[in-house]
Amino acid sequence: MSTYPEIKHDGSSDEEKGHQHNKVVDSLPVQGDEVQPGGQRELKRSLKGRHMQMIAIGGAIGAGFFVGSGGALTTGGPGSLVIAFCIIGLMLLLTMQALAELAVMYPVNGAFYSYAVRFIDPSWGFATGWDYAIQWLTVLPFEITAAALTISFWKKGAETNVGVWVTIFLVALCAIQVFGVRGYGEVEFVLAIIKVTATIGFIILAIIIDCGGVPTDDRGYIGARYWHDPGAFRNGFKGFCSVFVTASFAFGGTELTGLAAAEATNPMRSIPMATKQVFWRISLFYVVGLFLVGLVVPSDNPGLLHASGAATAYSPFVIAINLAGIRALPSIFNVVILLAVLSVANSCTYASTRTMQALGQTNMGPSFLAYVDKKGRPLWCVLIQIAFGFLAYINEASTGSTIFTWLLALSGLANFFIWGTICLSHIRFRAGWKAQGHTLDELPYKAFFGVYGSAIGLTLNIICLVAQFYVALFPVGGAPPDAEAFFESYLAAPLILALYVFWKLWSRDFSWYIKAKDMDVTTGLRANLDEIREMAEEKRRTAGPKNLPMKIVRALF
């Protein structure tokens, strides 16, 4: 049965809309997370604040950061690397602020997919929801494969058939699923701590290397030498666009804190706190970490040409350690990369299963997908995801890499569409909220940058799609346009278009968007709006110019 009532698109009567508003529950919440009748109740709220914060800080630190950044460094140079990651970091900061406002207001299952259905258009929500689910379904076997191939960094690991490691990792992921969302949260908590600790450790080490403090490094003081020779930028504007795209993919998974809102014990408190941690990840880990990588690793290092996928031996972090002549540490850091890859695989099982469960529950997918057992596990969705994990055995075939390329192409642009949809959903929600007589003072949490921040975030996502189109059509290196190479990078766009058209025809709803006055702004709404209103009024009374600096600090930290 659907979580949401039928949403009107061509004008609801005042009586019908009045009935929707009468659904508001006046009772106060138990732990600040009560939702009104019709909200998600099947999934267990087992994710605590510490889980949410570590998912936000370290959830998306994976092979894209540790390995893929090396390919970006050699393609665009250290200058392009830092600038591109700063721009994408700003885009994600704006996007996550918008998502936090929506997720705190509506801590419902499906998160950004359901927001698109309610505030933009059901067909667009269907298209982005299924593309997001497909993305994580197809990424899982790739990540399992990457983890298995990472073992080949060691000689004995390389001598073992890759299928053995695939089996071990699949069994481990299945075991995590037995414990439901709590298992996912605990595993991510531990792995995120390891990744964050390793990244901070590398930042300290890179500073020492750059200052010439490593006795085994015969380069001495390095400073900004590599920014001058071979240079800060490589391959011109096309090289920058290529890095722009790589940076975008490296941030994939940032939105998982919003998806986890339906299973957070206290979304009112944990989601804003987790969202603010994105600032730390962007500024400290990505920007500072990669800036230091560009200082200690020359962008023309031949090993960087192979820095992609599971080629952890060519990770710029590992290369930096090897160039400094430090023994044993490359192996230790390779373990960190292995755990990072497994962390992404763990996130795959969570993101895909929860999205499919929400699609099934809202009648946008097979109804059996909506089933959740007594322990809060969407069993059918879990089985489907694990079944996709068995595709990792394709690597035993000689054509395995080609098959994986096309599987990943199905959802290669999903992140951009999801992030852009979050920003647009926020803009449309604000319009509907205002049109139906509500004020911003009623919102439990307001995006710090408001609607203007979401507009900038949406624009940057569109620019990402344009940059990806440009690089896919005209690859770096001067190669002529190639249809196969183009669709390997851009196949997700026609897929989303096909899904959009399919639901338009299936539902026979040919409206372009939901009018602000017809939006459903009550289902799944937090029940303590009266209390929230009083808190907002108190904040407004105590606000003033002298409090502005501290207000900015609290908004970020």
Side-chain angles (χ1 to χ4, degrees):
M1 195 158 173
S2 177
T3 303
Y4 310 114
E6 181 181 357
I7 301 173
K8 308 289 185 183
H9 304 284
D10 50 3
S12 300
S13 67
D14 292 337
E15 181 180 354
E16 289 173 317
K17 285 186 282 188
H19 176 68
Q20 285 187 339
H21 285 287
N22 287 335
K23 292 163 62 179
V24 177
V25 177
D26 294 326
S27 60
L28 294 177
V30 177
Q31 290 183 316
D33 64 344
E34 286 280 334
V35 296
Q36 297 177 16
Q40 173 61 31
R41 295 188 186 278
E42 288 85 353
L43 297 176
K44 301 294 184 181
R45 292 187 179 275
S46 302
L47 290 177
K48 299 184 182 298
R50 62 184 178 88
H51 298 136
M52 299 292 288
Q53 290 187 51
M54 293 313 297
I55 289 171
I57 295 176
I61 299 178
F65 173 66
F66 287 124
V67 183
S69 58
L73 176 61
T74 193
T75 300
S80 293
L81 186 68
V82 173
I83 293 173
F85 270 82
C86 283
I87 295 174
I88 300 302
L90 172 63
M91 180 183 79
L92 260 296
L93 184 61
L94 298 173
T95 301
M96 290 303 295
Q97 282 288 317
L99 180 58
E101 179 178 312
L102 292 170
V104 170
M105 193 69 174
Y106 304 98
V108 295
N109 193 21
F112 27 80
Y113 139 73
S114 65
Y115 303 146
V117 171
R118 296 169 64 171
F119 305 132
I120 302 177
D121 175 61
S123 298
W124 184 250
F126 173 85
T128 54
W130 272 111
D131 187 64
Y132 189 71
I134 292 171
Q135 175 197 26
W136 291 108
L137 284 172
T138 54
V139 166
L140 177 62
F142 174 80
E143 294 296 337
I144 293 175
T145 300
L149 294 177
T150 299
I151 303 295
S152 63
F153 179 86
W154 298 280
K155 183 178 180 180
K156 290 186 177 180
E159 295 173 351
T160 306
N161 187 285
V162 68
V164 175
W165 301 113
V166 167
T167 303
I168 292 173
F169 296 141
L170 267 175
V171 171
L173 289 173
C174 290
I176 294 172
Q177 296 304 305
V178 172
F179 298 97
V181 66
R182 189 63 181 268
Y184 162 73
E186 293 295 348
V187 170
E188 281 304 297
F189 179 76
V190 173
L191 294 182
I193 289 177
I194 294 174
K195 290 186 289 184
V196 168
T197 303
T199 304
I200 294 175
F202 176 83
I203 289 174
I204 296 172
L205 176 62
I207 294 173
I208 296 173
I209 293 174
D210 189 61
C211 294
V214 179
T216 54
D217 192 348
D218 57 7
R219 293 173 297 176
Y221 174 77
I222 300 173
R225 180 191 310 171
Y226 298 138
W227 279 62
H228 297 284
D229 182 22
F233 299 95
R234 295 167 62 90
N235 296 307
F237 180 69
K238 190 180 295 185
F240 172 78
C241 286
S242 179
V243 175
F244 200 67
V245 172
T246 302
S248 305
F249 285 110
F251 280 98
T254 304
E255 71 289 337
L256 284 176
T257 52
L259 190 66
E263 295 174 272
T265 56
N266 191 346
M268 173 59 192
R269 185 177 183 86
S270 60
I271 293 176
M273 290 180 64
T275 301
K276 293 171 185 176
Q277 303 303 324
V278 174
F279 173 83
W280 286 104
R281 186 204 306 171
I282 293 169
S283 59
L284 179 61
F285 303 141
Y286 282 98
V287 178
V288 175
L290 293 179
F291 170 72
L292 290 170
V293 165
L295 288 179
V296 298
V297 178
S299 58
D300 60 353
N301 185 290
L304 295 176
L305 295 173
H306 308 287
S308 62
T312 55
Y314 304 105
S315 161
F317 295 83
V318 175
I319 290 176
I321 297 170
N322 282 326
L323 288 175
I326 304 174
R327 296 182 179 181
L329 196 54
S331 291
I332 295 174
F333 213 87
N334 197 72
V335 172
V336 173
I337 298 175
L338 171 62
L339 294 176
V341 173
L342 291 176
S343 172
V344 176
N346 188 40
S347 296
C348 288
T349 59
Y350 181 79
S352 60
T353 54
R354 270 54 182 183
T355 303
M356 286 191 292
Q357 195 271 339
L359 286 162
Q361 194 170 45
T362 53
N363 295 326
M364 287 189 168
S367 59
F368 70 87
L369 294 177
Y371 174 74
V372 177
D373 69 4
K374 293 181 180 179
K375 294 188 177 180
R377 297 171 297 194
L379 288 184
W380 286 109
C381 299
V382 170
L383 291 175
I384 291 173
Q385 176 66 90
I386 295 300
F388 267 80
F390 283 101
L391 291 176
Y393 289 109
I394 290 177
N395 288 281
E396 298 292 343
S398 58
T399 58
S401 60
T402 303
I403 296 173
F404 264 127
T405 298
W406 288 107
L407 279 174
L408 293 174
L410 289 173
S411 56
L413 302 175
N415 285 333
F416 303 128
F417 285 107
I418 287 294
W419 296 336
T421 296
I422 291 171
C423 293
L424 182 57
S425 296
H426 180 237
I427 295 170
R428 296 292 299 143
F429 158 72
R430 284 286 188 95
W433 191 249
K434 180 180 179 181
Q436 298 187 29
H438 297 284
T439 65
L440 295 183
D441 291 336
E442 297 177 58
L443 301 180
Y445 177 83
K446 289 186 282 291
F448 184 72
F449 303 98
V451 175
Y452 296 105
S454 295
I456 295 173
L458 176 60
T459 301
L460 289 175
N461 272 284
I462 294 173
I463 292 175
C464 284
L465 289 170
V466 173
Q468 172 73 334
F469 183 88
Y470 175 63
V471 173
L473 196 60
F474 304 103
V476 175
D482 180 76
E484 181 177 348
F486 174 81
F487 281 107
E488 283 180 359
S489 301
Y490 229 79
L491 186 61
L495 172 63
I496 286 183
L497 181 61
L499 289 169
Y500 175 80
V501 172
F502 167 78
W503 193 253
K504 282 291 183 189
L505 297 174
W506 181 271
S507 63
R508 298 183 181 180
D509 173 18
F510 299 106
S511 59
W512 286 103
Y513 61 93
I514 304 173
K515 295 179 180 179
K517 65 183 181 65
D518 298 329
M519 290 179 187
D520 174 17
V521 297
T522 57
T523 301
L525 188 68
R526 292 179 55 85
N528 59 334
L529 288 183
D530 289 337
E531 181 187 9
I532 298 291
R533 191 178 296 110
E534 292 178 5
M535 293 170 59
E537 183 65 27
E538 179 64 24
K539 286 183 179 181
R540 186 169 60 185
R541 284 196 298 265
T542 58
K546 64 180 181 179
N547 296 328
L548 183 60
M550 285 306 299
K551 184 178 179 181
I552 294 175
V553 171
R554 284 195 298 269
L556 291 177
F557 305 100

